Amino acid sequence: MRARCQRGGVSNQTSVRTLLVISQTYVPDPVAVGQHMHEAAAEMVQRGWRVVVLTSGRGYEDPSIKYPARETRDGVQIIRLPLSSFGKRSLAVRLLGQFIFLAQVILRGVFMRGLGGGGTHRRDAYATEACPTPGRGAILVSTSPPMASIAALVIRFFRGTPIKFWLMDLNPDQAVALGKFKPHALPVRMFDWLNRRLYGAASDIIVLDRFMKERVLAKRADVASRITVLPPWPHEQHLEPVPHEQNPFRKKHGLEGKLVFMYSGNMSVASPLTTILQAALKVRDDPRIFFLFIGGGLGKH
């Protein structure tokens, strides 16, 4: 996509600015992180950006599911990388997939067109002037996988590309809270060091709530002006209300006439399943109430 603009009598040829999205999971994979990433990416396409996603070629939960190597959805260019997901049956298997994924992301990101500074670019998505202004592309990276920030930092080192860091969860805080590591263990201190470095390097930090913001500021107080609180939103455009009496899911599972409490999503060891199960035990003798759990994860077993 090319355009021309007259500025001071000089014709400048400009190119669309590129947003590189790094996420091991992405639509149509059902993992929530990928769903939110796609909606943000599609919105940036609407604002005039070229958006390229680097993601895994196989399902995050089920690696037997294989997706097309290249695809365009809602204007978003999706590149799916091989050998980037082997499932979640063990930590070693997950780490292997993550490291192979990140190595490929670094190689592609360093040489991707539209990310570096210098030259002229199309005007920023938030700009109002008619002619282009100089600028760079950007990197949008989340915490899937947790070490994805390393790839973003390496690409930024070589290309000078601004990083937008979208925190979907907090590590090593999560691992410490679960008792997997002591607060002063070497892996925890190394991960904290990496996080502080990334917080300092990121031009924007997006967190899910004020509690997450407080934890980030406890580690790097000087980034307060760069933090935005953005709660995860419901995927309302995908909803199709169905009357209970016509709902095939209710009929299939014998749920007609019942009040259903459903947990749908990842059942990680950090998910609040115990609280829900305790509530279910309190009303287990009431035939009108049914608790339903849909999803996978280590916390399911």
Side-chain angles (χ1 to χ4, degrees):
M1 181 177 179
R2 312 294 287 182
R4 288 185 179 273
C5 175
Q6 294 291 334
R7 184 190 299 275
V10 178
S11 176
N12 293 321
Q13 193 161 15
T14 64
S15 60
V16 175
R17 193 178 299 189
T18 298
L19 174 66
L20 170 62
V21 178
I22 302 173
S23 180
Q24 192 178 14
T25 176
Y26 198 78
V27 295
D29 197 295
V31 177
V33 173
Q35 302 287 328
H36 282 93
M37 281 294 206
H38 178 66
E39 292 191 2
E43 174 63 24
M44 293 307 293
V45 170
Q46 293 297 314
R47 299 187 183 197
W49 287 65
R50 167 182 176 249
V51 181
V52 180
V53 176
L54 296 180
T55 187
S56 171
R58 293 185 179 268
Y60 186 65
E61 292 277 356
D62 184 359
S64 66
I65 300 174
K66 187 175 181 180
Y67 300 113
R70 287 180 178 267
E71 183 182 13
T72 299
R73 284 178 175 253
D74 300 322
V76 179
Q77 302 172 40
I78 306 168
I79 300 174
R80 296 191 174 92
L81 307 175
L83 304 174
S84 295
S85 177
F86 303 107
K88 300 171 63 177
R89 61 182 181 271
S90 72
L91 180 60
V93 166
R94 292 175 67 180
L95 289 175
L96 177 62
Q98 290 176 16
F99 284 127
I100 296 176
F101 172 69
L102 295 179
Q104 295 180 83
V105 167
I106 290 172
L107 287 174
R108 287 178 176 268
V110 166
F111 295 102
M112 184 173 291
R113 66 180 178 86
L115 287 181
T120 57
H121 294 259
R122 187 177 176 180
R123 68 180 185 276
D124 186 89
Y126 298 99
T128 56
E129 59 182 305
C131 290
T133 56
R136 295 186 177 94
I139 302 169
L140 175 61
V141 63
S142 184
T143 47
S144 179
M147 306 298 286
S149 55
I150 295 178
L153 284 172
V154 173
I155 297 169
R156 177 181 179 272
F157 176 81
F158 285 102
R159 303 295 299 272
T161 311
I163 298 173
K164 316 296 181 179
F165 189 27
W166 192 356
L167 282 79
M168 295 291 184
D169 46 35
L170 284 174
N171 275 302
D173 306 58
Q174 181 174 275
V176 171
L178 292 170
K180 302 296 184 180
F181 292 97
K182 298 293 184 182
H184 300 292
L186 180 60
V188 173
R189 288 186 282 123
M190 292 177 62
F191 214 139
D192 272 333
W193 175 85
L194 174 64
N195 280 337
R196 287 193 295 270
R197 185 176 181 85
L198 182 61
Y199 296 155
S203 59
D204 290 284
I205 303 169
I206 302 99
V207 297
L208 304 184
D209 55 35
R210 62 184 177 89
F211 304 105
M212 187 178 280
K213 178 179 179 180
E214 290 170 1
R215 282 187 173 269
V216 171
L217 291 177
K219 298 179 181 183
R220 188 85 193 227
D222 61 333
V223 299
S225 62
R226 285 179 263 159
I227 295 181
T228 299
V229 176
L230 180 65
W233 56 88
H235 304 291
E236 294 178 338
Q237 67 270 32
H238 302 293
L239 297 179
E240 183 180 347
V242 180
H244 286 183
E245 62 275 8
Q246 300 175 20
N247 192 319
F249 184 87
R250 280 182 169 268
K251 292 180 180 179
K252 179 180 179 180
H253 296 280
L255 302 176
E256 296 98 326
K258 295 185 182 294
L259 175 62
V260 179
F261 293 89
M262 185 174 74
Y263 178 96
S264 178
N266 182 38
M267 300 181 201
S268 73
V269 293
S271 301
L273 299 177
T274 301
T275 302
I276 302 173
L277 290 171
Q278 288 175 345
L281 287 173
K282 288 183 178 296
V283 296
R284 64 181 180 273
D285 296 326
D286 191 332
R288 300 169 300 173
I289 300 176
F290 195 90
F291 282 76
L292 184 63
F293 295 82
I294 301 177
L298 297 178
K300 186 177 181 178
H301 303 291

